[in-house]
Amino acid sequence: MRLDAGVRIDPTNDRVSVSYNGGMSVVVTLTHGLYLSLTTLLAELQARLRAAVHASYTCTESAGVVTISWTGGIASTLTWTRTALRTALGYGGSSTAGTTSVTAPNIAAGVFVASLPWDDPQPVAWRLSLLRARHLYGGPRSFVRGYQRRHGVIARVQDSETIRFRSVLLPFLRGVPGTLYRDTTVSTAWSWSNWYGAVPVQLELEQYGDDWAGARRDYISLSLPFVEYSP
């Protein structure tokens, strides 16, 4: 499985300056808002690069590692005027340059790809909520019903992965939604006919603790209860 923490784009992380083929630097500004996965953030970056700089730009990722590409043989430099955006995408330094593409040296900050198997022993369930109110003039009560799908997984994290896992989980603990990929090879949306699809989720957890599993103590195991997120 894979977990992507959502990224909120605002004035602190909304732009990068790009010089293409020796031309003047162009400020590329991302649309402000909440992006629930690295894929949606890269789609926005690609659209803005194509509109403002050159139509050949593509932004892709593999296992959380970002690559920005363009027409080969032409120099391009990205200057990270917003270091928070640079960190979110996994790049380092004040600028990144290449003649065909630039691949980030690190995994994007909000991505955790599980190396150990995760279990999902809890079946998909529903949570029913009722909103009660009286009509004007004291009439009978109204009931507005809302449903949320719930997804529970047992996460297993190697000792060497603990710091990254905690950093990805932190935005979820702060209430920021993200995306749960039940299978890293399936990026299409979850449905009753696509059980291994991706789900936009929020973490339903009041407290968090790391528990060592087994006598070897080389990985942690914990339950992560999620509810499906809908804006």
Side-chain angles (χ1 to χ4, degrees), residues 29-199:
T29 304
L30 306 183
T31 303
H32 290 189
L34 177 62
Y35 296 84
L36 296 181
S37 67
L38 180 60
T39 298
T40 56
L41 178 60
L42 291 180
E44 167 65 12
L45 177 60
Q46 177 177 290
R48 300 283 73 81
L49 284 169
R50 289 182 174 184
V53 185
H54 195 271
S56 66
Y57 276 93
T58 60
C59 300
T60 58
E61 60 98 359
S62 176
V65 177
V66 174
T67 297
I68 301 174
S69 307
W70 56 90
T71 300
I74 296 176
S76 183
T77 302
L78 291 81
T79 302
W80 303 105
T81 53
R82 297 288 190 270
T83 56
L85 178 61
R86 177 198 67 192
T87 301
L89 298 177
Y91 288 92
S94 59
S95 63
T96 305
T99 56
T100 300
S101 64
V102 286
T103 298
N106 306 303
I107 298 174
V111 174
F112 181 82
V113 181
S115 60
L116 296 176
W118 288 21
D119 292 334
D120 49 354
Q122 300 180 27
V124 174
W126 293 95
R127 183 171 68 182
L128 170 65
S129 60
L130 302 177
L131 176 63
R132 299 175 175 85
R134 286 189 177 275
H135 288 297
L136 192 61
Y137 309 116
R141 291 186 178 186
S142 298
F143 297 87
V144 178
R145 297 184 176 183
Y147 292 93
Q148 285 182 306
R149 277 194 289 264
R150 306 182 70 184
H151 300 263
V153 300
I154 302 297
R156 295 184 179 89
V157 182
Q158 292 189 73
D159 181 44
S160 59
E161 301 170 329
T162 304
I163 294 177
R164 165 162 290 274
F165 177 71
R166 289 172 177 168
S167 68
V168 172
L169 203 62
L170 183 59
F172 283 97
L173 291 168
R174 290 172 172 168
V176 179
T179 301
L180 171 66
Y181 293 89
R182 299 170 66 85
D183 186 328
T184 57
T185 65
V186 181
S187 59
T188 52
W190 184 95
S191 69
W192 292 109
S193 59
N194 184 26
W195 283 89
Y196 293 97
V199 192

